[in-house]
Amino acid sequence: QVQLVESGGGLVQAGGSLRLSCAASGSIFSIQTMGWYRQVPGKQRELVAAITSGGSTNYADSVKGRFTISRDNAKNTVYLQMNSLKSEDTAVYYCNADLTTTSRWFRNYWGQGTQVTVSS
């Protein structure tokens, strides 16, 4: 029984900033990779940023230099700091995690998503 809960989405003006948070809870033994994906209607869900338990990061080219992913392993929480937001960043953002449960099952989990809308 694991759940990922996102927070921090909302409406922001172009050029502004927003910080998303995702907290994982439940029967978790360890979390390997946590990441953020986004999806707009009619398009495939795409990786925005990911971070391993050791701190290695990976970003989509479209957000490099503007977004920063980080995590607090003690809190099982991942963050996405989004700066210099553009209208093209408007999407539903989903938290994702590869983790091992206390029963030692390695599984992938998704949050319910949070809407980010950037107005011009």
Side-chain angles (χ1 to χ4, degrees):
Q1 298 181 346
V2 174
Q3 65 175 350
L4 306 180
V5 180
E6 302 104 331
S7 63
L11 176 65
V12 65
Q13 293 183 338
S17 298
L18 207 60
R19 189 191 190 206
L20 305 182
S21 299
C22 172
S25 62
S27 302
I28 300 169
F29 178 76
S30 63
I31 301 177
Q32 285 71 52
T33 301
M34 299 188 79
W36 291 95
Y37 291 72
R38 67 187 181 188
Q39 187 170 28
V40 298
K43 294 185 178 181
Q44 292 283 95
R45 187 173 299 184
E46 66 173 354
L47 173 69
V48 177
I51 184 168
T52 69
S53 59
S56 296
T57 59
N58 186 36
Y59 296 92
D61 288 340
S62 60
V63 306
K64 287 181 179 177
R66 299 188 298 120
F67 292 9
T68 302
I69 189 170
S70 61
R71 64 190 284 174
D72 185 334
N73 292 332
K75 296 181 178 180
N76 287 337
T77 299
V78 64
Y79 307 93
L80 185 67
Q81 179 66 47
M82 303 184 293
N83 298 326
S84 301
L85 283 161
K86 306 174 181 179
S87 60
E88 65 192 56
D89 295 317
T90 296
V92 176
Y93 284 71
Y94 296 90
C95 179
N96 179 267
D98 286 328
L99 59 83
T100 302
T101 69
T102 53
S103 297
R104 302 304 181 96
W105 290 105
F106 181 70
R107 295 178 176 177
N108 182 262
Y109 293 86
W110 290 96
Q112 289 296 306
T114 184
Q115 177 71 47
V116 171
T117 301
V118 183
S119 63
S120 300

